[in-house]
Amino acid sequence: MSLTRNTKNVPYYILGAGAFARLGDFIDERRHGGGAALFCVDHYFQDKEALRDLPAKDGDIVVFVDTSKEPAVEYVDALSDGVKARLQGRPPCCVVGMGGGATLDVAKAVANLLSNPGKAEEYQGWELVKNPAPYKIGVPTLSGTGAECSRTCVLTNEKRKLKLGMNSDYTVYDQLVLDPSLTVSVPRDQFFFTGMDTYMHCFESLRGAYRNVIVDRLSLCAMDMCRDIFLGQEDMMSEANRENMMVASYLGGMAAGNTGLVHPLSAGLSIVLHLPHGRANCYALSVLGDFYPEEHAAFTQMLAKNRISLPKGICANLSEEQYDALHQGTIVHEKPLSNALGPDFKNILGKERLTSMFKAM
Ligand SMILES: [Fe+2]
């Protein structure tokens, strides 16, 4: 096992039903500087009851994050410009991200742009963020992406045909509020597709070349939890399983930096067809049985057991340009592809082979 990177994790979390009621205390602890609290909330909550319990005070800023599409660099730029104008040069006392992975990631990206000049795309990559972001509190309302604990915030960049985050220790949340009662109203297919993201991060990491003994152990544990949740006796969305999924997402999210084959294909689908991340991952794994036979078999069982459908034919009749874009949008992700297949990945995944895989989805 090679030397690990000097690794930062989220320093504080609170877990369990009722944790959300503590959010106001955590924000108040940061209010000494006088700056406003900035809330980035999934637009899903705009007219929901949970919003009434949001501990926003006079002068705080609440922005709703549109999660109908994968977050794009231009969207993050526009959002952070608007927030900067409202803050009038005064840094916020903290930034709260409340929502699914997309919202949690947008909050991280906006926070980085509040303390670093320029545009979001300038920070897509590794160790490019120079100044620490304001204090950040993450409140996941959907489990599986690992966005609550990862050191990245994935953004699409159509111009550069890629999906890439601001990989930095400054991107990591400072406090998490993990309250499973916030996931009770998640639609079942969304719960499944997003939960599967954890399962995929973990086996992609375990099957890859870039390994880390701690991440391996966390991945094994999170995969076990996913098998229990999606193949066990209890309903996948029982109270206990919603809490288990929150924990699995948190543990498995630490493997999210070492993805393999699923995520590049999934990124191609999100770039070209604007498919949401979790669903795109599931389509990607559906054609990766040759590469991940055991995991593919278990995934097929999980789909059946939870009566989740993945209708075929999403890439059946695309234009040649779209197949080119799918190929480009996949192959551009060199780090995960070489993690999975080694330096020869471009030959192993030629245009023809990839196109026939997309056509089989
Ligand atoms: Fe993912």
Side-chain angles (χ1 to χ4, degrees), residues 197 201 263 277 281:
D197 199 13
H201 290 150
H263 276 70
H277 182 61
N281 283 344

Side-chain angles (χ1 to χ4, degrees), residues 164-176:
L164 186 58
M166 304 172 179
N167 291 267
S168 162
D169 283 351
Y170 296 139
T171 305
V172 177
Y173 275 105
D174 300 286
Q175 167 81 56
L176 293 178

Side-chain angles (χ1 to χ4, degrees), residues 105-237:
D105 276 1
V106 165
K108 292 193 269 186
V110 167
N112 281 341
L113 289 179
L114 291 181
S115 51
N116 291 273
K119 304 269 184 206
E121 71 169 3
E122 293 169 45
Y123 301 101
Q124 281 185 297
W126 282 265
E127 322 314 336
L128 301 173
V129 183
K130 296 289 177 267
N131 306 311
Y135 191 88
K136 294 189 294 298
I137 305 175
V139 187
T141 61
L142 181 61
S143 307
T145 66
E148 65 278 25
C149 67
S150 71
R151 68 190 301 272
T152 191
C153 48
V154 184
L155 305 173
T156 58
N157 185 329
E158 281 203 44
K159 221 169 43 190
R160 289 168 63 194
K161 299 268 175 274
L162 51 76
K163 265 182 89 172
L164 186 58
M166 304 172 179
N167 291 267
S168 162
D169 283 351
Y170 296 139
T171 305
V172 177
Y173 275 105
D174 300 286
Q175 167 81 56
L176 293 178
V177 175
L178 303 173
D179 188 335
S181 53
L182 296 173
T183 66
V184 71
S185 62
V186 174
R188 289 183 72 80
D189 60 343
Q190 201 176 3
F191 184 88
F192 180 88
F193 290 132
T194 310
M196 278 293 107
D197 199 13
T198 292
Y199 187 68
M200 303 203 196
H201 290 150
C202 293
F203 75 71
E204 284 177 278
S205 176
L206 287 164
R207 298 276 181 218
Y210 313 143
R211 303 289 289 278
N212 166 331
V213 72
I214 295 176
V215 171
D216 278 6
R217 291 290 164 175
L218 291 170
S219 298
L220 287 167
C221 175
M223 281 182 77
D224 261 351
M225 293 183 82
C226 287
R227 278 188 214 100
D228 287 348
I229 294 163
F230 296 107
L231 291 174
Q233 297 292 315
E234 263 189 52
D235 182 72
M236 67 173 177
M237 286 190 72

Side-chain angles (χ1 to χ4, degrees), residues 54-98:
L54 199 71
K57 294 190 172 170
D58 282 351
D60 285 347
I61 299 172
V62 180
V63 293
F64 291 101
V65 178
D66 181 358
T67 54
S68 55
K69 282 191 208 154
E70 294 275 288
V73 282
E74 296 84 358
Y75 179 71
V76 166
D77 287 336
L79 208 59
S80 54
D81 285 348
V83 167
K84 276 185 208 162
R86 290 174 69 182
L87 285 167
Q88 297 179 323
R90 197 167 192 194
C93 69
C94 66
V95 176
V96 179
M98 179 173 168

